[in-house]
Amino acid sequence: MRAFGYTVAESPADAVRIAAGTPNSAFVAGGTDLLNLMRDGAQSHDHLVDLNHLDLARIDMDATTLRIGALARMRQVAEHPEVRREFPVLSQALLASASPQVRVMAAIGGNLLQRTRCGYFRDAGSACNKRVPGSGCPAISGHNRGHAILGGSEHCIATHPSDLAVALTALDATVHLLGPDGGRAVPVADFHLLPGSTPQRETVLRQGELITRVDVPRTRAATRSRYLKLRDRASFEFAVVSVAAALRLDGRTVGDVRLAFGGVGTRPWRDTGVEAALRGRELTEAAVSAAGRVLVRDAVPRDGNGFKVELVQRALVSVLGELGGVR
Amino acid sequence: MTGLVGRGVERVDGRAKVTGAARYAADNAVNGVLHGALVMSTVARGEITELDTSAALASPGVVAVYTHENMLPLTVPPDFPYPKRFIPLQDTRIHHNGQPVAYVVAETLEQAQEAATLVRVRYRVAPPTALLADALDEAFLPRDFRGRPNETVRGDAAAALERAEVRVEQEYTSPMQHHNPIEPHTTTAVWDGDSLTLYESAQGVVLTRMVVAQAFAKYVLEQDIRVVSPYLGGGFGAKGPTWSHTLLTAAAARLARGPVKLVLTRAQMYTMNGHRAEYRRGLRLGATRQGRLTAIVDTSTAQLTRTEESIYNTSNSTLHLYACPNVHVRQLGVRLDLPTSSYMRSPETTAHFGLETALDELSYEVGLDPVELRVRNHLPAGPPASKYLLECYRMGAKAFGWARRDPRPGVTRVGDEYVGWGMATETHTYNAIPSFAELTIDEAGRATLRVASQEIGTGTYTVLTQVVADGLGMPLDHVTTLLGDTAFPAAAISAGSSTMPSVVGPVSTAARNARDAVVAIAVADPRSPLHGVPAADVVAEHGQLFVRGDRRRRDSYRDVVRRHGQAVVVNGSGPNTPGHSFGAVFVEVRVRPRLGAVRVSRVVAAYDPGRVLNHRTAHGQVIGGVTWGIGFALMEHTVVDRNTARVVNPTLSTYLVPVCADTPSVESYFVDRPDPASKPALGARGFGETPGTGVPAAISNAIFHATGRRLRDVPFTQDKLL
Ligand SMILES: Cc1cc2nc3c(=O)[nH]c(=O)nc-3n(C[C@H](O)[C@H](O)[C@H](O)COP(=O)(O)OP(=O)(O)OC[C@H]3O[C@@H](n4cnc5c(N)ncnc54)[C@H](O)[C@@H]3O)c2cc1C
Ligand code: SF4
């Protein structure tokens, strides 16, 4: 870690102004990811702008929308009664994330911007296109058990690690941003980028742009939603494969279904083709299996992660089975 | 005796530990201490061609940057316990990824760390070999290690296998694993002229002093080195040997002419201080249809390096646990471009996993209950030693409810989970190392024990305090135990399950000697109420000395020593012999086969560790051992990149160890009968490494029972069960 400057922002506009005007600066919220990256030498900044005093931690819900301030902590959102009632998948995704200690510190904005857990990325002594563009991707020919089978490129196959982002993607959430040129709103599904040939660019955020809030529309499907996370230990571990599912059944027929997947894609993975394969059909194991095959039709498995092709399909069967009462 | 030994006495150091009063090695505040930071190689094999320290030297607060060009020349210590067999910063060669290439010394830790990122190194690189699979054809039989051969032949195993009615022939494999104690390795080196004090996190202060003396033979005498290590935040074998960071820090402090402190980063702990070597084991068992073993052919291959050839994953249980007339063990190795391996947490687990899994396979081949199969192959101990392993099987099976087990795999379901029950024998060797103790009884009537043993978290302070209190007939809180300092009488390294068998003898002898000395003073002193009483008639209890049969005629330690006018100081020794401890572990797993998910839902274990000195610390050891056994079976795995031979997951967030949610509560039972072969240690054997040795196999066996799928390659992650 290197010495860096530090400013506490007084207002969102203040934060944006300082960050936009200070080269190689970064915002810091809970610091649970940023500081680890800086300590490990995977990321380095000359200046940090502390967001923790901003009035952006509120959680409100009205008739149509849940609004989560970017500085709301993971725990606050997970335990919020309305979130638990109206959006079980959000609460479950958060409670399945990290540890109680991390969830007390970590904020929603920081969660969406946490960086990949690819070991090569986090090791300053390894090559990595995401960390040092053009240096190569050792994961492709090396250890890639945790890596993506969907959305990768020859430059990077790292997964996005956030569980929350997967749930928000399933729920059609919108990310609100404030930049030097004013505010804008981006659907969460468009917020993260595919790696392509620029894996160092992970989101649509511009220098100095701040996440202020995440909006989640209320739907009937959301009230019947679930997060299934498969991982290598029972707690305090990222997903090998995860599924966020929201389902509205009309009798036995799928009225509405929203699905997003973690651990398999280079960004929180939504494939509307999978949902289309289910919508309007009877919810049977055969139908879900067929939809699962749509999901993995373009999968590119590597030496270590081929099992995810099968596992994610089984996870889908399992979670929709539980949500829909079929086994 | 007041009978403290055996009781589940609470930890005497518990309060100090939970309140932060206990000072661990890096907590020592040394005046004017400078801080070290290491620069590590990013290639695995080759040579340094260029090393530029100018930017680091220009960085604020930097005192010096040591490299092969200006480091103090040191002597490579001849053998174990310096496993590495080379000292970094002495030449340009690179032997593994993550080898120190520069040592930065600065006024603050942050300055040292920042400067370390500014050192520029260029290498001439040779392609490394990182995995056993890539060099199996280079396997060879290494020379004897610590006086033990890597090949052992008993009877004619090949012929017996050929003739066997039933055979099981399989391969069992495990990856590289790391110890991962919570407290990182740390050294603070303080020179005072030509004498050296090291504040270390060391499992063996005496051996550390020896290794440092060998390395610094040109500069300092062994008797002028002091190593201090009163507490460890875990070691698991990683702090048993002495590693290069200790030597480099002492050298840096000498050159910098000021005390230097170094704390390894977590990532550095994946290349600096040993690991469990990647391991493959071909096992061929021959047996009769009744399940009696007739042959074991055991050929293993472990990772070695190009600088040494020491095998730590030994096949001891193949040789010693069961009655089998024909055994052929070969422990081969392959040289890879990796850091040096070493002993890690119950090193015999590595091999034992294969044996106990193969026995389960045999039990299905011959249609015998796995416990019954083991009973049929029971090997009684040679006199005078005891071995109550059959009792362990009975106790464990009863408590677990084993008799209700339907042996057919894949038939028991609860909800969407399949339930499986598996078991295995647990066993580990323990060592006994000559040790000495000194006991002082002062004029306040308080006893102070000094012994250069260590507290590695297992309860050494507590148990030795119990032994002293009992031996003297004194209340527990009148006894203070001081450990972890070479200024005290030499004692065993706290590794190889050797602490109790080695140290309890000298300590109890010292206590007896001290009691006798005080009694002798009392009965000879006309001022004592005990004057003239035959010494044999004096009884000590609660710090008081009585005449047997006449409790009113009494004196006390305090009064006797006070009248005597000076503290009574005595010594004790009590050599012991090595041996084995035993147990049986029973495990229940729940498996969701569709998702490949396994969880351990119940563990019951029964042990024969000889006499139990403290039930609470013994149970604690069982919890720890079983938890690590779950880690070994289900998650632990150091990932090494095949192309760069670099560790990919050197952090606690990527190297998984079990958390509470993975670990059910563990029931433990003890036979608790003294072993006559360990008489000096009051009948207690070494036990530290026994719990957990059977857990990986028991889990594998339980998964088979749950699903009909036999797993032979740890860790058993989801992908392997799909
Ligand atoms: C051991 C461990 C295990 C974990 N396990 C999981 C898990 O299972 N699942 C999971 O989803 N997560 C997991 N996490 C990740 C954790 O959720 C993230 O570290 C956390 O959410 C980051 O939030 P933070 O507030 O601490 O962000 P910080 O570390 O403060 O910031 C992270 C990034 O976001 C930027 N940033 C923060 N807030 C804003 C904002 N409002 N606008 C613009 N930029 C912003 C920062 O500049 C930085 O780049 C784990 C973390 C750890 C340490
Ligand atoms: S997968 Fe991406 S993050 Fe990982 S090494 Fe390759 S480029 Fe870097």
mmCIF file of all heavy atoms in Angstrom, chain B residues 452-465:
data_model
loop_
_atom_site.group_PDB
_atom_site.id
_atom_site.type_symbol
_atom_site.label_atom_id
_atom_site.label_comp_id
_atom_site.label_asym_id
_atom_site.label_seq_id
_atom_site.Cartn_x
_atom_site.Cartn_y
_atom_site.Cartn_z
ATOM 1 N N ALA B 452 11.318 -24.210 29.145
ATOM 2 C CA ALA B 452 11.357 -23.643 27.783
ATOM 3 C C ALA B 452 10.493 -24.458 26.831
ATOM 4 O O ALA B 452 10.892 -24.792 25.718
ATOM 5 C CB ALA B 452 12.797 -23.550 27.289
ATOM 6 N N SER B 453 9.295 -24.775 27.309
ATOM 7 C CA SER B 453 8.267 -25.362 26.456
ATOM 8 C C SER B 453 7.433 -24.198 25.912
ATOM 9 O O SER B 453 7.778 -23.034 26.156
ATOM 10 C CB SER B 453 7.417 -26.320 27.285
ATOM 11 O OG SER B 453 6.341 -26.821 26.528
ATOM 12 N N GLN B 454 6.366 -24.478 25.193
ATOM 13 C CA GLN B 454 5.594 -23.409 24.588
ATOM 14 C C GLN B 454 4.107 -23.624 24.790
ATOM 15 O O GLN B 454 3.649 -24.750 24.936
ATOM 16 C CB GLN B 454 5.862 -23.309 23.078
ATOM 17 C CG GLN B 454 7.261 -22.974 22.658
ATOM 18 C CD GLN B 454 8.272 -24.111 22.832
ATOM 19 O OE1 GLN B 454 9.437 -23.865 23.073
ATOM 20 N NE2 GLN B 454 7.832 -25.344 22.743
ATOM 21 N N GLU B 455 3.366 -22.516 24.742
ATOM 22 C CA GLU B 455 1.899 -22.560 24.729
ATOM 23 C C GLU B 455 1.458 -22.289 23.296
ATOM 24 O O GLU B 455 1.515 -21.154 22.839
ATOM 25 C CB GLU B 455 1.337 -21.497 25.668
ATOM 26 C CG GLU B 455 -0.161 -21.240 25.523
ATOM 27 C CD GLU B 455 -1.026 -22.427 25.909
ATOM 28 O OE1 GLU B 455 -0.832 -22.967 27.010
ATOM 29 O OE2 GLU B 455 -1.886 -22.826 25.089
ATOM 30 N N ILE B 456 1.052 -23.339 22.590
ATOM 31 C CA ILE B 456 0.643 -23.118 21.194
ATOM 32 C C ILE B 456 -0.880 -23.063 21.067
ATOM 33 O O ILE B 456 -1.427 -23.239 19.985
ATOM 34 C CB ILE B 456 1.245 -24.176 20.252
ATOM 35 C CG1 ILE B 456 0.821 -25.595 20.654
ATOM 36 C CG2 ILE B 456 2.763 -24.081 20.233
ATOM 37 C CD1 ILE B 456 1.229 -26.657 19.623
ATOM 38 N N GLY B 457 -1.516 -22.827 22.192
ATOM 39 C CA GLY B 457 -2.979 -22.742 22.171
ATOM 40 C C GLY B 457 -3.641 -23.987 22.711
ATOM 41 O O GLY B 457 -4.853 -24.047 22.878
ATOM 42 N N THR B 458 -2.829 -24.986 23.008
ATOM 43 C CA THR B 458 -3.377 -26.282 23.391
ATOM 44 C C THR B 458 -3.630 -26.420 24.892
ATOM 45 O O THR B 458 -4.317 -27.342 25.308
ATOM 46 C CB THR B 458 -2.406 -27.390 22.967
ATOM 47 O OG1 THR B 458 -1.099 -26.970 23.358
ATOM 48 C CG2 THR B 458 -2.419 -27.586 21.469
ATOM 49 N N GLY B 459 -3.043 -25.531 25.679
ATOM 50 C CA GLY B 459 -3.290 -25.606 27.124
ATOM 51 C C GLY B 459 -2.076 -25.964 27.961
ATOM 52 O O GLY B 459 -2.220 -26.440 29.099
ATOM 53 N N THR B 460 -0.881 -25.735 27.434
ATOM 54 C CA THR B 460 0.327 -26.105 28.167
ATOM 55 C C THR B 460 0.411 -25.415 29.527
ATOM 56 O O THR B 460 0.717 -26.055 30.537
ATOM 57 C CB THR B 460 1.583 -25.754 27.334
ATOM 58 O OG1 THR B 460 1.401 -26.209 26.004
ATOM 59 C CG2 THR B 460 2.828 -26.388 27.922
ATOM 60 N N TYR B 461 0.132 -24.116 29.557
ATOM 61 C CA TYR B 461 0.190 -23.398 30.844
ATOM 62 C C TYR B 461 -0.710 -24.070 31.876
ATOM 63 O O TYR B 461 -0.349 -24.250 33.039
ATOM 64 C CB TYR B 461 -0.295 -21.945 30.676
ATOM 65 C CG TYR B 461 0.749 -20.994 30.139
ATOM 66 C CD1 TYR B 461 0.632 -20.430 28.874
ATOM 67 C CD2 TYR B 461 1.850 -20.633 30.919
ATOM 68 C CE1 TYR B 461 1.579 -19.542 28.381
ATOM 69 C CE2 TYR B 461 2.803 -19.746 30.444
ATOM 70 C CZ TYR B 461 2.664 -19.203 29.170
ATOM 71 O OH TYR B 461 3.604 -18.333 28.702
ATOM 72 N N THR B 462 -1.901 -24.399 31.426
ATOM 73 C CA THR B 462 -2.907 -24.922 32.347
ATOM 74 C C THR B 462 -2.504 -26.292 32.880
ATOM 75 O O THR B 462 -2.507 -26.531 34.095
ATOM 76 C CB THR B 462 -4.262 -25.015 31.615
ATOM 77 O OG1 THR B 462 -4.525 -23.747 31.026
ATOM 78 C CG2 THR B 462 -5.372 -25.403 32.571
ATOM 79 N N VAL B 463 -2.149 -27.179 31.980
ATOM 80 C CA VAL B 463 -1.882 -28.549 32.406
ATOM 81 C C VAL B 463 -0.621 -28.603 33.271
ATOM 82 O O VAL B 463 -0.599 -29.280 34.304
ATOM 83 C CB VAL B 463 -1.785 -29.486 31.187
ATOM 84 C CG1 VAL B 463 -1.392 -30.890 31.630
ATOM 85 C CG2 VAL B 463 -3.116 -29.516 30.440
ATOM 86 N N LEU B 464 0.413 -27.858 32.902
ATOM 87 C CA LEU B 464 1.625 -27.887 33.729
ATOM 88 C C LEU B 464 1.349 -27.284 35.104
ATOM 89 O O LEU B 464 1.896 -27.738 36.117
ATOM 90 C CB LEU B 464 2.776 -27.168 33.025
ATOM 91 C CG LEU B 464 3.248 -27.823 31.712
ATOM 92 C CD1 LEU B 464 4.469 -27.099 31.160
ATOM 93 C CD2 LEU B 464 3.546 -29.311 31.884
ATOM 94 N N THR B 465 0.506 -26.282 35.152
ATOM 95 C CA THR B 465 0.143 -25.695 36.446
ATOM 96 C C THR B 465 -0.591 -26.725 37.307
ATOM 97 O O THR B 465 -0.340 -26.846 38.507
ATOM 98 C CB THR B 465 -0.717 -24.431 36.226
ATOM 99 O OG1 THR B 465 0.011 -23.535 35.382
ATOM 100 C CG2 THR B 465 -1.037 -23.738 37.541
#
